[in-house]
Amino acid sequence: MVNSEDFITRLKKILDYYSLTSSTFADTIEVQRSSMSHLMSGRNKPSLDFVLKIVDKFPDVDLYWLLNGEGNFPKKKSTVTIEEKQESNDKVKITTPSLFNQNTPDTNKVPNTQFSVNTKKLIKVVLLYNDGSFEEFKQ
């Protein structure tokens, strides 16, 4: 269970760290200013939605630190050398199936199934992620 007084203390640390007022903080995480005021005064306890909005809008805020005081604020950046990264990649070999397999289904192996001859060939696949990044795979 979250101790409200400790949570408020940690919330004040966040406000100080980012040099924000309660009002601008409430606007940033898209909650009503009155909700922020009631929380800061101890009248209300933080909702799950409120906590998740903080963690979403402020990536330096660690969820466990915010809720329980465990961990660090701001989050410590982990530094990994190129060699360490290469070693970890060498240890984990993941085989990705090819999206551009030139083999067509053999109709003789699948009984009672007809395949239409498709003259189109796949040349590129683009994966779009919700953080705005993407990956492009070409043949």
Side-chain angles (χ1 to χ4, degrees), residues 125-137:
V125 175
V126 179
L127 301 176
L128 304 173
Y129 297 99
N130 62 356
D131 66 353
S133 64
F134 68 93
E135 289 183 80
E136 185 175 311
F137 300 95

Side-chain angles (χ1 to χ4, degrees), residues 3-89:
N3 183 331
S4 294
E5 292 175 12
D6 293 340
F7 182 86
I8 294 168
T9 303
R10 289 188 288 274
L11 191 55
K12 287 178 182 177
K13 286 183 183 179
I14 296 170
L15 295 175
D16 290 342
Y17 181 80
Y18 290 105
S19 300
L20 297 173
T21 64
S22 292
S23 297
T24 55
F25 184 79
D27 294 342
T28 303
I29 63 170
E30 299 172 354
V31 298
Q32 292 183 2
R33 292 178 180 182
S34 60
S35 297
M36 185 70 180
S37 174
H38 293 187
L39 185 71
M40 296 299 280
S41 68
R43 176 180 170 199
N44 293 353
K45 292 184 178 183
S47 66
L48 176 61
D49 186 48
F50 183 85
V51 171
L52 293 177
K53 285 182 178 186
I54 294 171
V55 173
D56 183 50
K57 296 287 183 178
F58 298 94
D60 282 337
V61 177
D62 182 61
L63 176 64
Y64 296 106
W65 174 81
L66 183 59
L67 294 176
N68 303 318
E70 298 173 8
N72 298 307
F73 175 73
K75 283 184 183 176
K76 289 186 177 179
K77 304 285 185 216
S78 62
T79 56
V80 177
T81 64
I82 294 172
E83 292 80 17
E84 290 171 338
K85 180 71 173 167
Q86 185 62 39
E87 287 174 11
S88 73
N89 287 346

